[in-house]
Amino acid sequence: VSRLQNTAGRYTDYLNMRSALGYDMTNTVYLFPRNLDAAHAKMVEESNKKEVDAHIREASGRYPLIKKHYRQYRKQFYFADEAFLIRPAKDAGEIIMEGRLLHHCVGGDRYLRSHNEGRAVILLLRALDEPDMPYITVEINPETKDIRQWYGAHDKKPDEERMQRWLDAYVT
């Protein structure tokens, strides 16, 4: 019985999401998906994307100086060697996505506001061969160049000793 209730609940959720996203609810392909789990997952992803996109648009309006000061911060903070690159976030949306993808709090208002007001700069550290793949997020004091904190996925410090040495060398 619980499996049937689970499936019925997932199906109802799936239909509600499809409807809310404006899909044609008379289309039998949408009404009766071959793989409910996959179709449900796709609707969750699509629903979340609209929500995230709306949040990014709203944050970009509230924190426009992040984007405005990007070039200045890039000149100041960009660095690359044979293994890694570090650069400032381009805009509020990039900071939000960094937090979501790495599952930590950098995309929150406190960090966005602090970067927007010039009290901190959010830097994105990447493997040189994967420059678009989030790895480590760094918060730095723009005046003293001191690193306030750095974290990878799930608030962990990957390869901590090596990365700490790399970051120490970066700020000196």
Side-chain angles (χ1 to χ4, degrees):
V1 173
S2 71
R3 185 172 179 205
L4 182 58
Q5 287 174 327
N6 232 359
T7 302
R10 190 166 34 264
Y11 181 62
T12 302
D13 192 38
Y14 162 79
L15 291 176
N16 288 335
M17 284 186 285
R18 275 260 183 217
S19 179
L21 289 168
Y23 281 89
D24 174 11
M25 296 310 291
T26 62
N27 183 326
T28 58
V29 172
Y30 297 151
L31 290 176
F32 307 108
R34 288 181 188 212
N35 182 331
L36 178 59
D37 289 336
H40 183 268
K42 183 179 178 194
M43 285 300 96
V44 168
E45 183 178 310
E46 197 170 317
S47 295
N48 287 343
K49 182 177 178 355
K50 285 189 173 235
E51 193 177 291
V52 169
D53 288 348
H55 177 59
I56 287 172
R57 277 192 306 278
E58 184 269 330
S60 294
R62 281 194 309 161
Y63 306 109
L65 298 179
I66 297 171
K67 185 174 184 176
K68 183 178 179 184
H69 293 128
Y70 170 70
R71 286 181 199 230
Q72 170 196 339
Y73 285 150
R74 182 174 166 80
K75 287 178 189 171
Q76 239 180 316
F77 295 105
Y78 180 90
F79 175 75
D81 66 10
E82 67 282 345
F84 298 101
L85 70 85
I86 191 166
R87 66 171 179 79
K90 294 176 184 173
D91 55 31
E94 194 168 45
I95 295 172
I96 290 168
M97 291 310 299
E98 180 86 357
R100 286 184 179 266
L101 293 170
L102 291 180
H103 305 281
H104 58 47
C105 59
V106 80
D109 281 330
R110 181 178 86 74
Y111 295 100
L112 292 166
R113 188 178 314 106
S114 188
H115 188 116
N116 191 67
E117 293 171 359
R119 292 181 283 116
V121 175
I122 303 301
L123 301 174
L124 314 178
L125 191 142
R126 308 286 195 247
L128 193 60
D129 60 349
E130 294 182 303
D132 297 321
M133 177 72 71
Y135 182 50
I136 290 173
T137 312
V138 179
E139 180 185 15
I140 194 167
N141 180 322
E143 292 178 22
T144 65
K145 310 297 187 270
D146 292 329
I147 292 177
R148 292 181 178 151
Q149 60 179 323
W150 66 272
Y151 289 101
H154 304 282
D155 290 325
K156 303 279 191 255
K157 293 193 172 194
D159 198 5
E160 187 171 1
E161 287 181 31
R162 176 180 179 215
M163 295 317 302
Q164 187 63 60
R165 280 193 310 274
W166 194 93
L167 287 166
D168 290 343
Y170 167 72
V171 294
T172 55

